[in-house]
């Protein structure tokens, strides 16, 4: 985390904090604020295309060895009622779920009901600690703990309504303009009376290339095992570009493609970050 490199979460469109990418930063001892816009689209193993927009706003503080981050997203989703942002296809038995009435006398549960909803997503908080950093700052190992609070409305199908807890171990190796990176993680997913989830592992691997003092590009692959009986694993690849205007302002854009029913078919997004 601490050297010229930092792990950035760019899979904000699903708000699961799963895909990670590598980008240059020197934010030690500084606060930062960022805002972005993410869009994804996919069928997730259903007959209906589900479109998800999210606008995450994040605040972070980084010291020599610690990084703390809080993300608050706003979500708009349109599509299958049994597709939950950050999770994918589930057996959603909530009779008041998305596409099943407005809270009056709801119809019988129908896991294939379609509808649209918007509102606050799941707020996430994380704390990362550098376990090891080489003297020349070309190799490092980071441990990160994460809590996803169940703040998204389960009756709108914006989330499960339950908290999730996770740990991840990430590493990087710098060689000239190239940086190889990867990590493994585990999440304890909360289940509700309507949505039952399993705990699951995830992993990522990728590479970053420093074009010049202001620009980095990179790509990574991400995998998460299936966490719902009716769902599927996630498998996707993403490419990104990071541009630093100055020591305080930077922008990042990305595009991704999914290869499994647990992932969107495609997604794009961008974020702007200001450090002070």
């Amino acid at each position: 985390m601490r050297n010229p490199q930092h792990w950035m979460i760019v899979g904000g469109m699903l708000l699961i904090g799963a895909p990670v990418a590598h980008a240059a930063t020197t934010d030690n001892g500084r606060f930062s604020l960022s805002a972005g816009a993410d869009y994804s689209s996919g069928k997730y193993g259903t007959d209906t295309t589900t479109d998800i927009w999210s606008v995450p706003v994040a605040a972070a503080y980084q010291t020599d060895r610690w990084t703390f981050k809080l993300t608050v997203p706003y979500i708009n989703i349109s599509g299958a009622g049994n597709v939950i942002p950050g999770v994918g296809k589930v057996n959603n038995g909530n009779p008041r779920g998305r596409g099943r009435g407005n809270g009056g006398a709801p119809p019988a549960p129908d896991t294939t009901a379609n509808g649209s909803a918007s509102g606050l997503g799941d707020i996430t908080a994380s704390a990362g600690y550098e376990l090891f950093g080489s003297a020349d700052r070309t190799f490092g190992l980071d441990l990160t703990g994460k809590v996803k609070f169940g703040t998204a409305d389960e009756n709108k199908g914006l989330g499960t309504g339950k908290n999730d807890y996770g740990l991840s171990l990430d590493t990087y190796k710098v060689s000239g303009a190239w940086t190889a990176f990867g990590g493994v993680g585990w999440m304890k997913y909360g289940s509700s009376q309507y949505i039952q989830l399993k705990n699951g592992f995830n992993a990522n691997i990728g590479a970053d290339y420093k074009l010049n003092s202001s620009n980095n590009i990179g790509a990574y692959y991400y995998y998460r095992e299936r966490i719902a009986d009716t769902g599927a694993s996630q498998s996707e690849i993403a490419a990104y570009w990071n541009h630093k205007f100055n020591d305080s302002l930077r922008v990042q854009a990305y595009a991704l493609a999914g290869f499994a029913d647990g992932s969107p078919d495609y997604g794009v997004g961008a974020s702007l970050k200001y450090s002070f």
Side-chain angles (χ1 to χ4, degrees):
M1 287 182 191
R2 250 46 53 199
N3 81 329
Q5 312 297 330
H6 175 59
W7 300 98
M8 293 183 63
I9 297 176
V10 296
M13 83 295 292
L14 295 181
L15 301 174
I16 60 178
V20 291
H22 220 251
T25 189
T26 54
D27 290 341
N28 294 350
R30 303 177 72 184
F31 286 98
S32 65
L33 294 174
S34 62
D38 304 286
Y39 170 77
S40 67
S41 180
K43 290 191 173 182
Y44 299 94
T46 71
D47 295 328
T48 302
T49 297
T50 297
D51 298 318
I52 303 174
W53 280 95
S54 72
V55 180
V57 177
Y61 179 71
Q62 185 169 332
T63 69
D64 184 53
R65 301 182 73 91
W66 287 93
T67 296
F68 303 95
K69 186 173 183 179
L70 180 71
T71 303
V72 180
Y74 180 86
I75 303 177
N76 178 275
I77 181 170
S78 178
N82 59 339
V83 172
I84 304 299
V87 178
K89 181 183 175 183
V90 299
N91 182 14
N92 188 0
N94 189 343
R96 298 165 60 108
R98 189 172 66 250
R100 300 176 192 154
N102 57 8
D110 175 9
T111 58
T112 61
N114 302 325
S116 300
S118 59
L120 177 68
D122 289 322
I123 296 174
T124 60
S126 65
Y129 180 74
E130 183 186 49
L131 295 175
F132 174 78
S134 63
D136 60 2
R137 316 309 293 168
T138 61
F139 175 75
L141 186 66
D142 304 327
L143 179 68
T144 301
K146 177 183 175 183
V147 179
K148 187 222 74 177
F149 299 100
T151 52
D153 193 336
E154 61 181 321
N155 291 327
K156 291 183 177 181
L158 298 178
T160 64
K162 298 298 180 181
N163 294 353
D164 300 336
Y165 306 91
L167 282 174
S168 63
L169 189 65
D170 297 300
T171 186
Y172 65 87
K173 180 65 175 75
V174 180
S175 179
W178 288 94
T179 300
F181 60 91
V184 294
W186 178 85
M187 288 289 291
K188 176 179 174 58
Y189 293 93
S191 294
S192 70
Q193 60 177 319
Y194 301 120
I195 299 174
Q196 299 295 311
L197 299 179
K198 305 175 181 178
N199 302 331
F201 286 93
N202 58 76
N204 69 86
I205 187 170
D208 178 275
Y209 182 74
K210 187 174 183 178
L211 295 171
N212 50 48
S213 60
S214 299
N215 294 279
N216 288 65
I217 57 173
Y220 65 88
Y221 172 78
Y222 172 79
Y223 174 84
R224 187 194 71 187
E225 64 179 330
R226 185 178 66 170
I227 60 172
D229 287 338
T230 58
S233 62
Q234 288 186 342
S235 177
E236 55 204 47
I237 190 169
Y240 65 88
W241 164 68
N242 185 78
H243 174 73
K244 184 174 71 171
F245 293 99
N246 51 50
D247 288 341
S248 297
L249 187 65
R250 69 195 67 199
V251 65
Q252 179 167 291
Y254 74 92
L256 70 82
F259 304 103
D261 285 342
S263 296
D265 294 335
Y266 64 91
V268 293
S271 63
L272 187 68
K273 178 181 178 181
Y274 180 75
S275 302
F276 56 95

